[in-house]
Structure formats: structure tokens, C-alpha cells
Amino acid sequence: MSVNTCLRRPLAAAVMALSVIGSSFAVGAAHAAPTIDPADLPVADVPMPAGEGEYSYIATHEVTKRAASMKLADGIASLPVPAQYRPANLALAAQFDIAVQSALRSPGGCVQVVVDPRARSGSLFNYGFFAVAGQYCP
């Protein structure tokens, strides 16, 4: 069984945890980014392979729709972070928003999160959000 297969359920828990945290800060929050013209969105495709030591989580289509309806990217953008981390936090929220919008343009599409636990440039983790085409979603 692959790491990808074993870790699908924890993604739902992680997304829900982020949504609870994010929703508590969403009132009066800064927005992640303006909505992107659909023509400029990347196309949902095959899941990204996880590298050595990385973890890959693939949300279901339903969890992806729920994240979009909850405006989870806005919640991420509004998390209280020190001023020096604000640009990185806003970029993370924008990346998530783009992945969700792209995924939902594919019938049955979903979002994949790839987590690299190796710290780089002062970060605890590096996250990547990717739009996955519906035929690859659980």
C-alpha cells in the first residue's frame, strides 16, 4: 500500500482542522487573493509524485468542494502570523485557492497536498497544493 493511499483519510481531518482554525479567524479577514480568471488557471492533472521523505494527501471531491464553499483559503490568509511571515502565509493561501479552483473545473476533481517535512529557509514544513483531475480522485 502506498503512502498516498494510506494517508487519504488524514487529509480530510487536516482540512477540517484547518477549516475550524480558519473559520475562527475569517471574520474581518484579509482575502487570500483576488479570484483568478478561469482561463488563467492551471489544468487539473495526474497527482504529483511525492519525493523521498515527503507525504502526499489527496482529498476527495466532496472535501475539495467543502473547502471551496467554506472559503478555506481566506481562513488560511487570516491566520495570525508574525509580520515577517505574512507574505508567505498569503502566498500559501493563494496557492491553495488556485489549486481548489482548478480542481473544481475538472469533473470530480480534487486537491492534493504534498508536505515536505524538511525545513528550508526557516520553515517548519514546505507545502504544495495541486489540482488533480477527477479520474484520479478517491
Side-chain angles (χ1 to χ4, degrees):
M1 189 178 294
S2 72
V3 169
N4 199 18
T5 303
C6 292
L7 298 176
R8 285 186 181 143
R9 285 194 180 136
L11 175 62
V15 168
M16 293 309 292
L18 279 175
S19 66
V20 169
I21 293 168
S23 64
S24 67
F25 295 108
V27 176
H31 293 283
T35 302
I36 295 174
D37 181 354
D40 295 333
L41 289 171
V43 175
D45 204 353
V46 299
M48 292 295 288
E52 184 72 30
E54 294 179 335
Y55 301 94
S56 174
Y57 306 94
I58 297 179
T60 65
H61 178 67
E62 291 302 317
V63 168
T64 302
K65 288 190 325 187
R66 177 101 169 117
S69 72
M70 294 175 63
K71 299 184 190 240
L72 188 54
D74 288 347
I76 293 168
S78 68
L79 290 172
V81 295
Q84 69 267 29
Y85 296 117
R86 191 87 187 122
N89 193 59
L90 291 174
L92 180 72
Q95 184 185 13
F96 181 78
D97 190 43
I98 289 168
V100 168
Q101 288 183 52
S102 298
L104 293 178
R105 291 192 70 205
S106 172
C110 58
V111 171
Q112 176 187 20
V113 180
V114 177
V115 180
D116 184 352
R118 297 168 289 204
R120 292 189 184 95
S121 64
S123 300
L124 292 176
F125 300 99
N126 290 318
Y127 297 91
F129 300 109
F130 305 96
V132 177
Q135 68 263 34
Y136 303 105
C137 297

